[in-house]
Amino acid sequence: MKNIIEKINNLKNNLNKWGHAYYVLDSPIVDDAEYDKTLKELIELENQYPELITDDSPSQKVGGIVMDKFEKYKHKLPMLSLANAFNKEDLLNFNDQIKKEIENSDYNFFVEPKIDGLSISLIYNNGKFFKGVTRGDGIYGEDVTSNVKTIKSIPLSIEDQNDYVEIRGEVFLSKTEFEKINKQRQTNDEEIFANPRNAAAGTLRQLDSSIAASRKLDAFLYYFMDREKFHTHSESLSYLEKMNFKINDLGKICKSIEEVYEHILYIQSQRENLEYEIDGVVIKINDFDLYEKVGYTAKSPKWAIAFKFPAEVKTTKLKNIFPTVGRTGRITYNALLQPVQIAGTTVQAATLHNADFIIQRDIRIGGEVKIKKAGDIIPEVIAPIIDENYYKLNKWIEDTNCPICNSLLERVEGEVDQYCINSQCPRKIVRGLEHFVSRDAMNIEGLSIKIIEKLFENKFIENVGDIYKLNKYKNELIQLDKMGEKSVTNLLESIEKSKSNSLEKLFFGLGIRHVGKKTAKVLAVNFKEIDVISNINFNELEEINDIGPIVAKSVCDWFEIKQNADLIKTLKNEGLNTKYLGNEGSKNNDKITMKSFVITGTLSKPRNYFKEMLEEYGAKVIDTVSKKTDFLLAGQEAGSKLEKAQKLGIQILSESEFLEMIGE
Ligand code: IVH
């Protein structure tokens, strides 16, 4: 046995060393075949002696754990975000603010790329990896340990043997890996990810960790939480590097704002050549000793700022303009482009919004156009490049008929958009079904747009009611191309589960015009049951805070259509819950119910606790103070929101005043 243990340890040490060289340092010391052979040998030995498998074995990086859901995890210290700077002037202001707080001190900055991924917190206990948690709302994150474990550049054990070590950083997908995943998704008829960040987010939230393992997530670490240990940020980074974490190599100490700006321009010039997406640069004071002196606002530290890059603009040829039909029948025009690299991804389509947008800019097929892509936003055509040949191209004329069902398009008074008003337009129906099953609505997994189209074409579903009849056709569904037994079983399970959703999800899913997620919730909280909503008249609806005449009319009109009333009956017959299941609005207090609150500063419990409490009383909690705010609940060290509320004469409540008010 002693021999076996030694052998296993030997294999593990080698794999750890080679893995670090390959995944962190980017300079392999053995070839892939040797690595794979050694890993296989380790796994075989571990299979033979399962009692010798340790949590930090390199074999644990392959995933395989399947979760039901991710647990919430409270961060030991909130995960803050950063204030933004967009130009040099913002940087100078940032520096002036610092100087105000720490006269006479000499300080340096540390300037590093802002990785466009997802923040992650890694916790190690006694040198062993313990947990990986997402940012979440900053106070509570999601415990995604099983997925983080599969990230090859994150060590499962570290030299630092402290009982609690927390390190924060950014999980990302390389540009190459992103393109690879999207290509594969395209072949599988799956929807493609808009950018590497979305793909990384989708991967980190996969319940099956072998999917995460197969997608090659990566992570840069940039924040060692125990600042007592070091004097400077740069020292802490060297320490992280020594402990085998991946540290970005473009970071630099800068002695003045001038130098900071120079390094920002340098990083920006490297942006296109990098293997990962960055969306700006982070500037931090390098000296830890000054952090507490410089301090924090409610949301972000004052000792750091994020310099955001402007959206990238490129020129390419407009090959064609094609319309698409949305769920509501709205027509969107799209540009088919000569493929062009922009912000790290290949772009071949961009939005042109509506007909007016194209006509006002005189955009013509065959000409050159400027396009821009900013963050999450879909690439957009900004303007044509007009040269002497431009006017030889044909002027573009808007479509008059629906590209799908050919019915005449209409324009609603006062709106710029054209609509297909044929309620039987196949595209509208399919898009409506897609909306119904989407995550914020009924959250039915396994019904991608491609599958919906297939089920629609094969007449399995024609409206949302039919989704709940699919269980009668299990065998027929299994026969359909690309469905298979497992995916059909999963789909039917997910459909069954959705029956017990709370009313607001169903109500949002119905796709009533002007009823977004928020409005659906307001209606559900106020009326509790779909039959109550369906029988209500315009005036009663409009009386509700947050419901205006447009929404009220749209809701009344919807229930008046016989087909819709029948649909509700069908859904009830199929056993769908039509009641509100939350406890918002379950309590009543004249002083609070229907009032709007802003919460700021540090309270005795996380802000979410107070938010949920307020919502139980049917109060609304919003982010920004305005004239419409009724109360500001202010904790310790409240900043700009408190100032603004004072200026606007809004009633300010301390935590104890608030608790007294509700009698708790
Ligand atoms: S430092 C106290 N450094 O950008 C905040 N953040 O709003 C410490 N990010 O949520 C953050 N690269 O997810 C820092 N080199 C970097 C970063 C970085 C990306 C993200 C981070 C944060 C957001 C800032």
Side-chain angles (χ1 to χ4, degrees), residues 458-507:
N458 288 286
K459 301 222 173 348
F460 283 105
I461 40 177
E462 283 171 355
N463 62 43
V464 297
D466 295 337
I467 294 177
Y468 294 92
K469 296 177 182 150
L470 283 176
N471 51 9
K472 299 190 186 115
Y473 305 105
K474 186 166 182 183
N475 290 332
E476 288 89 331
L477 291 177
I478 293 172
Q479 299 310 315
L480 280 181
D481 180 33
K482 286 197 182 140
M483 289 290 275
E485 178 147 8
K486 182 149 183 263
S487 62
V488 172
T489 309
N490 288 345
L491 170 62
L492 294 178
E493 263 172 27
S494 184
I495 292 174
E496 193 57 34
K497 198 168 128 202
S498 76
K499 287 184 179 171
S500 43
N501 282 341
S502 181
L503 173 61
E504 67 278 16
K505 291 183 86 75
L506 171 62
F507 208 65

Side-chain angles (χ1 to χ4, degrees), residues 435-436 438-443 498-512 515-530 533 576-585 615:
H435 171 73
F436 185 80
S438 64
R439 182 166 343 169
D440 286 337
M442 294 302 270
N443 192 20
S498 76
K499 287 184 179 171
S500 43
N501 282 341
S502 181
L503 173 61
E504 67 278 16
K505 291 183 86 75
L506 171 62
F507 208 65
F508 174 57
L510 292 173
I512 302 171
V515 179
K517 210 169 109 183
K518 256 194 179 157
T519 307
K521 181 110 185 226
V522 171
L523 290 167
V525 169
N526 278 282
F527 298 108
K528 310 275 187 269
E529 159 64 62
I530 204 151
I533 306 178
L576 262 80
N577 166 58
T578 54
K579 290 190 173 60
Y580 175 62
L581 303 177
N583 55 5
E584 274 171 44
E615 284 173 348

Side-chain angles (χ1 to χ4, degrees), residues 61-63 146-148 150-152 173 177 202-206 208-217:
K61 289 227 162 264
V62 295
S146 53
N147 286 335
V148 173
T150 69
I151 302 177
K152 304 287 193 294
L173 271 168
E177 186 62 19
T203 306
L204 203 58
R205 298 195 74 262
Q206 282 288 338
D208 178 351
S209 69
S210 43
I211 300 183
S214 71
R215 288 212 194 134
K216 305 211 172 81
L217 287 168

Side-chain angles (χ1 to χ4, degrees), residues 123-143:
I123 301 166
Y124 289 79
N125 292 156
N126 309 313
K128 296 271 176 288
F129 177 64
F130 170 59
K131 257 185 203 324
V133 187
T134 63
R135 177 174 192 276
D137 61 7
I139 297 183
Y140 287 91
E142 274 182 319
D143 179 344

Side-chain angles (χ1 to χ4, degrees), residues 78-84 112-120 135 168-170 221-223 233 248 279 281-282 284 296 299-301 303-304 306 308:
M79 280 183 96
L80 301 174
S81 57
L82 296 174
N84 291 329
E112 62 196 70
K114 183 169 183 302
I115 313 298
D116 195 9
L118 300 113
S119 18
I120 192 84
R135 177 174 192 276
R168 292 180 181 174
E170 203 83 354
L221 282 304
Y222 49 66
Y223 196 7
H233 175 59
N248 191 281
D279 59 342
V281 171
V282 176
K284 300 167 185 168
Y296 298 81
K299 268 198 191 149
S300 44
W303 42 260
K308 292 290 213 70

Side-chain angles (χ1 to χ4, degrees), residues 181-240:
I181 293 170
N182 264 356
K183 235 180 233 151
Q184 200 176 8
R185 287 176 78 83
Q186 230 159 2
T187 333
N188 295 346
D189 275 354
E190 289 166 324
E191 223 149 318
I192 59 166
F193 290 116
N195 53 43
R197 176 154 49 86
N198 286 358
T203 306
L204 203 58
R205 298 195 74 262
Q206 282 288 338
L207 292 168
D208 178 351
S209 69
S210 43
I211 300 183
S214 71
R215 288 212 194 134
K216 305 211 172 81
L217 287 168
D218 206 339
F220 278 123
L221 282 304
Y222 49 66
Y223 196 7
F224 190 80
M225 294 296 287
D226 182 10
R227 290 203 299 263
E228 304 277 287
K229 231 179 151 123
F230 307 101
H231 289 297
T232 61
H233 175 59
S234 46
E235 272 172 36
S236 74
L237 289 182
S238 307
Y239 182 70
L240 289 179

Side-chain angles (χ1 to χ4, degrees), residues 27 46 86 133 153 173 295 351 426 447 471 478 536 544 586 659:
S27 56
E46 286 184 339
F86 297 97
V133 187
S153 58
L173 271 168
T351 182
L447 278 182
N471 51 9
I478 293 172
I536 218 140
I544 306 288
S586 58
L659 293 174

